[in-house]
Amino acid sequence: MTLLRRSLWVFLVLAVLYSALWLVGLLVIQTVLDRIKPAKMSAVDELLLDEFSVDEVRFNFASRAVGGYPFGYAITLDQPSLKHPLVTWQAEESVVARWSLFRPFTVDVDYSGSHAVVAVLQPPMRLSADQAQARIRIQPLPSARTGRLSLVSTRGEGAGLAVSDRPIFSVNRFAFELDIAEEVQPGDMMVDAYGLALSDDPAVQARYQALLQQMGNAESMLSALGLGLDLPVDHVRLRANIRPFFPLAGSQVVLPAFISRGGNVKIEVLDVQQGSWRGRVAAHAMFGPDGRLMMQICPLLRAGASYVPIPLMSIFTLYAGARGVDVSREPIPAFALPKSVEPFTQRELCNGARTYVFEDEG
């Protein structure tokens, strides 16, 4: 009985200490949020600040609430906004960020609702989603006393895009993931979109028809095949591998470093289905030693239970450099490949996409 009492007292003391530490963290979070929230100012002062401010980024929100006891913190920001000289973002509803004690380097964000995005010299855009969650994971780098993004993933349902309050397209459900487990490892990218449909807005459809007219007889050909962007797309699924992955420190993406390291992207499969038609594309895009972009592509169409190369388009190579874009029927020679790419054959490129099985199809 004495042992049980001692255990209860120890548990009670630990619970009190933990609760006190949680409250300290709560006060720290509230203090930081209150500190970064700009003070109220008049409309004139706001205009002057936008004109003469040297601050690159300004973050604001209407109100905040912090909870999540006892296993972490849940921060709710009402109508948060971000202002940058090149782009502004405004959420019309609340955004909730959750941090768990069991995943100290991971933050889950619920950003369901509508978001207004305005870029310089671009019409205002509105992104919306009935359900939308994101997960961000940071890998600490103790030697450099900093950290790096190692995972960015998001998924949602009932999403859409509108430009100048005009609906452009909608998606029933979507998912995106960029996973770079270790700093020196390649990154895996996944994109899924189901029920993609172009808006039936007259102006949007007119733009689509104008685009088809610039492509010769594309409209009659697509109509004969029962295809077209004006018809719903059942799914678009992409699996790709980026090797070696360029450094993602904070939000900086260093393209020159990626090119100099022989960066390349292997699209294992891009699978698209619309009605009774289903096609796939496999590709390998890479930068040569001279900085020229090379891409070898194999498009496939489903025929019965298998996939066959599209006639006259089975394999082709794109060379993009200072002289423009050249198309070749020849494979990329081994001596032109960066050191990070093993030589591959046309057959291997096509067979990779032909035999690919998605995780939920196994």
Side-chain angles (χ1 to χ4, degrees):
M1 195 65 180
T2 304
L3 180 60
L4 179 60
R5 288 182 177 179
R6 290 179 178 177
S7 300
L8 290 175
W9 274 108
V10 171
F11 176 78
L12 181 59
V13 171
L14 292 177
V16 171
L17 290 176
Y18 176 80
S19 299
L21 291 175
W22 188 91
L23 287 174
V24 171
L26 173 67
L27 294 175
V28 170
I29 294 174
Q30 291 177 335
T31 302
V32 171
L33 291 176
D34 293 337
R35 183 176 299 171
I36 64 177
K37 180 178 173 61
K40 291 184 179 180
M41 61 182 65
S42 65
V44 175
D45 291 336
E46 183 75 22
L47 290 174
L48 292 174
L49 184 63
D50 289 338
E51 184 70 23
F52 300 107
S53 175
V54 296
D55 296 333
E56 289 191 359
V57 179
R58 283 191 294 150
F59 182 70
N60 199 357
F61 50 88
S63 61
R64 50 89 173 153
V66 184
Y69 181 84
F71 299 117
Y73 295 94
I75 304 172
T76 302
L77 300 179
D78 187 30
Q79 297 180 345
S81 64
L82 192 68
K83 287 188 177 182
H84 186 272
L86 298 179
V87 64
T88 62
W89 161 74
Q90 170 75 59
E92 296 184 355
E93 289 87 13
S94 298
V95 174
V96 182
R98 293 182 175 88
W99 175 85
S100 172
L101 180 67
F102 306 107
R103 293 193 303 269
F105 302 110
T106 301
V107 176
D108 294 321
V109 181
D110 187 334
Y111 61 98
S112 305
S114 298
H115 304 262
V117 180
V118 180
V120 174
L121 302 178
Q122 298 297 324
M125 297 186 299
R126 184 175 303 278
L127 302 170
S128 61
D130 296 337
Q131 297 181 19
Q133 293 81 35
R135 172 165 293 182
I136 302 171
R137 186 173 64 218
I138 304 296
Q139 178 193 5
L141 302 175
S143 59
R145 295 183 179 181
T146 183
R148 57 179 288 276
L149 289 172
S150 63
L151 173 70
V152 178
S153 68
T154 182
R155 60 189 64 246
E157 298 179 1
L161 169 67
V163 177
S164 298
D165 293 329
R166 190 180 298 277
I168 303 299
F169 68 82
S170 61
V171 180
N172 289 344
R173 57 189 176 97
F174 68 91
F176 168 82
E177 181 174 288
L178 182 58
D179 188 359
I180 320 102
E182 299 294 336
E183 186 179 15
V184 296
Q185 295 298 318
D188 293 320
M189 184 168 65
M190 174 272 290
V191 178
D192 287 337
Y194 293 88
L196 180 66
L198 193 66
S199 168
D200 57 2
D201 185 277
V204 176
Q205 290 293 327
R207 290 285 187 92
Y208 169 66
Q209 294 298 326
L211 176 63
L212 289 181
Q213 290 178 2
Q214 297 177 2
M215 300 171 62
N217 61 349
E219 181 179 9
S220 58
M221 182 181 68
L222 292 176
S223 299
L225 296 175
L227 298 171
L229 293 179
D230 57 335
L231 302 176
V233 178
D234 297 275
H235 74 235
V236 177
R237 311 188 72 177
L238 170 70
R239 297 294 185 276
N241 183 271
I242 307 175
R243 181 187 299 269
F245 198 81
F246 43 80
L248 269 178
S251 60
Q252 296 180 355
V253 179
V254 188
L255 182 59
F258 178 62
I259 296 176
S260 64
R261 295 164 65 193
N264 65 96
V265 179
K266 183 178 181 181
I267 301 177
E268 296 178 292
V269 59
L270 169 60
D271 191 281
V272 181
Q273 181 173 354
Q274 186 176 40
S276 59
W277 293 93
R278 186 167 180 175
R280 286 187 169 185
V281 173
H284 208 151
M286 63 210 77
F287 289 95
D290 56 354
R292 180 179 56 175
L293 173 64
M294 301 174 291
M295 179 180 298
Q296 194 148 14
I297 302 173
C298 176
L300 304 165
L301 261 183
R302 187 165 188 170
S306 183
Y307 292 87
V308 296
I310 298 177
L312 306 178
M313 293 180 60
S314 57
I315 283 283
F316 57 93
T317 303
L318 304 179
Y319 296 93
R323 296 180 300 177
V325 179
D326 297 326
V327 180
S328 172
R329 300 288 299 176
E330 300 298 325
I332 300 175
F335 69 84
L337 298 175
K339 295 181 180 179
S340 57
V341 178
E342 295 292 334
F344 61 93
T345 64
Q346 296 178 349
R347 184 182 299 272
E348 290 173 338
L349 183 66
C350 292
N351 286 344
R354 179 185 286 115
T355 59
Y356 193 94
V357 178
F358 292 98
E359 295 85 347
D360 55 1
E361 294 179 338

